Amino acid sequence: MARGKPYRDVWLGRVLSPDGPKDPTEKLILCAVSRFMDFHTGDGAWPSQSTLADMTELSVRTVGKKLRATKWLETYRAGKSGQGWRRHAYRAVDPLRGRLSAHADKVLSDD
């Protein structure tokens, strides 16, 4: 892969490859999540399950089930605690290579 290619593109290419998830519904949801990711890091995607359901024309229940089961995303809590807003956020993970780092594009381009 070309050096310096943004990680989100590298990750999405792997999701859509034969090595990616076998379930087409999971692939669809991962593509939808990727639209919210930081281009260079693959981090900081925080769409609601309802937003993802609207984008993919799936039920909220199906989206939630697939998000909990996928190995291609890491889920974490983002936002303020207490009375402020708080929601789940998603980070791109390549299950064959592990968690994303800030320099993942350099590491992955050495393949």
Side-chain angles (χ1 to χ4, degrees):
M1 295 192 183
R3 185 167 288 283
K5 189 171 185 178
Y7 184 79
R8 185 192 67 180
D9 289 351
V10 173
W11 176 82
L12 189 55
R14 291 212 169 120
V15 165
L16 296 173
S17 78
D19 294 329
K22 304 305 179 208
D23 180 0
T25 303
E26 182 179 355
K27 283 187 182 198
L28 177 63
I29 293 167
L30 293 172
C31 288
V33 171
S34 77
R35 296 206 46 215
F36 296 92
M37 289 177 177
D38 179 270
F39 192 66
H40 294 286
T41 67
D43 199 1
W46 19 332
S48 69
Q49 290 181 13
S50 178
T51 296
L52 293 172
D54 288 344
M55 289 176 70
T56 59
E57 298 184 8
L58 298 167
S59 70
V60 174
R61 183 177 178 178
T62 297
V63 168
K65 186 170 129 182
K66 298 296 181 181
L67 287 173
R68 285 187 296 279
T70 189
K71 294 180 179 166
W72 288 85
L73 292 173
E74 179 181 280
T75 303
Y76 61 98
R77 294 291 236 164
K80 301 176 182 180
S81 60
Q83 292 183 339
W85 56 270
R86 189 173 183 153
R87 65 187 323 163
H88 287 102
Y90 306 98
R91 176 181 295 127
V93 175
D94 185 332
L96 304 175
R97 290 181 168 69
R99 186 175 169 198
L100 168 69
S101 72
H103 303 287
D105 58 327
K106 292 179 185 174
V107 172
L108 293 175
S109 66
D110 292 339
D111 289 354

